[in-house]
Amino acid sequence: MTVPAVKLSGVRKSFGRLEVLRGINLEVWPGEVVCLIGPSGSGKSTLLRCINHLEKVDGGRVEVDGELVGYRRKGDKIYELKDREICSKRERIGMVFQQFNLFPHMTVLGNVIEAPVQLRKMTRRQAEAVGRELLARVGLADKESAYPRQLSGGQQQRVAIARALAMRPGLMLFDEPTSALDPELVGEVLNVMGDLARDGMTMIVVTHEMGFARQAADRVVFMDQGRIVEQGPPDEVLERPRHERTRAFLSRVL
């Protein structure tokens, strides 16, 4: 029986007295595209960061491909992994942030191949072959020798996507990847993400782009105040929401 690509069980997270995640239960299946929507401060980005252990959960469990994230179970007890082990597990999870976070002193190709060479121990020649293939995939084959400062925001974000894909992840997390872009540049990034979805990549996407959610998602999850309020196929959640809170949110953003 296939196990979920991601399984969250009763996940809780607080920052001081502020409870950001209040018992999240969610399963994402291999090849599924799930879009998280909701108002700012609802816990969407924190949820993503808990999935790859950039944030430690305060309660509940996070599993990727049937394995605990950040922890190991031994008998009846759970132990936190060492940093090196956590980094090794994290390699199979790609993440694209709002900001591009490219190395300004490296070329586009250099940015893409850095992690495979350093962490996967690929030879530079192997990594460059993979990097060029990925740059072509995101429509930047002619930019491999450029530096980030020479690129538009949309181009930089596409490099960031190629960089994440260079580690050959089984899961991609996107945290509002178009929020820092000028409106005319949003489409080029969403097109790349749409291609990934059609190719069967498992994706969890925090987004305010309802058009993308409608077209690319298998499931839309609406969050508010640290809880999942409603979830289902895009046409149901976006067109015929059941919950009053969902309807109120969508009436403002659509």
Side-chain angles (χ1 to χ4, degrees):
M1 183 177 180
T2 303
V3 300
V6 178
K7 183 176 181 180
L8 309 176
S9 306
V11 171
R12 295 183 175 274
K13 177 66 183 178
S14 297
F15 296 103
R17 295 184 178 181
L18 178 62
E19 191 175 13
V20 180
L21 299 177
R22 306 182 181 191
I24 298 292
N25 296 299
L26 180 68
E27 292 183 352
V28 178
W29 294 91
E32 189 176 20
V33 178
V34 172
C35 284
L36 303 182
I37 66 171
S40 298
S42 58
K44 307 181 301 296
S45 295
T46 299
L47 183 59
L48 283 195
R49 293 174 66 85
C50 286
I51 291 173
N52 67 0
H53 206 64
L54 287 175
E55 297 287 354
K56 298 179 183 179
V57 301
D58 296 322
R61 299 192 311 276
V62 179
E63 298 172 72
V64 173
D65 294 332
E67 296 183 10
L68 289 172
V69 173
Y71 299 89
R72 177 186 295 112
R73 183 182 288 107
K74 190 173 183 180
D76 295 332
K77 295 185 178 181
I78 292 178
Y79 300 90
E80 187 171 11
L81 298 177
K82 296 179 180 179
D83 288 346
R84 181 177 296 181
E85 294 174 290
I86 291 172
C87 288
S88 177
K89 297 285 187 182
R90 195 180 283 145
E91 289 176 11
R92 64 189 179 189
I93 305 173
M95 188 159 184
V96 177
F97 299 87
Q98 297 176 28
Q99 302 299 324
F100 323 125
N101 300 323
L102 300 178
F103 296 117
H105 63 287
M106 291 184 178
T107 65
V108 164
L109 184 60
N111 269 276
V112 173
I113 70 172
E114 177 71 6
V117 169
Q118 297 298 327
L119 300 178
R120 285 286 176 89
K121 305 305 179 185
M122 280 189 189
T123 66
R124 188 172 185 85
R125 184 173 181 178
Q126 290 172 326
E128 286 180 347
V130 171
R132 290 189 174 103
E133 174 188 327
L134 291 171
L135 288 174
R137 186 175 182 179
V138 300
L140 294 173
D142 60 336
K143 299 294 185 181
E144 69 170 73
S145 298
Y147 287 86
R149 65 180 180 275
Q150 298 171 311
L151 304 180
S152 69
Q155 289 171 329
Q156 290 186 61
Q157 191 63 293
R158 283 187 280 156
V159 174
I161 293 172
R163 179 179 60 182
L165 292 173
M167 294 297 287
R168 301 302 194 201
L171 167 68
M172 286 288 290
L173 309 177
F174 293 87
D175 186 8
E176 297 190 45
T178 61
S179 65
L181 300 180
D182 293 333
E184 65 268 23
L185 302 177
V186 168
E188 62 190 56
V189 174
L190 294 181
N191 286 339
V192 171
M193 294 170 62
D195 288 341
L196 288 176
R198 286 185 286 273
D199 288 344
M201 173 65 74
T202 308
M203 298 165 55
I204 305 177
V205 183
V206 173
T207 185
H208 292 295
E209 299 291 339
M210 298 302 151
F212 174 81
R214 184 179 286 109
Q215 294 173 9
D218 297 298
R219 187 161 30 121
V220 172
V221 175
F222 174 69
M223 291 182 63
D224 187 44
Q225 297 184 354
R227 295 187 174 94
I228 292 176
V229 175
E230 184 170 352
Q231 60 179 301
D235 58 343
E236 290 184 10
V237 174
L238 300 178
E239 305 295 340
R240 300 182 297 279
R242 299 185 302 275
H243 199 281
E244 182 179 345
R245 182 67 188 92
T246 315
R247 290 195 291 272
F249 171 77
L250 291 173
S251 70
R252 291 196 298 270
V253 300
L254 290 179

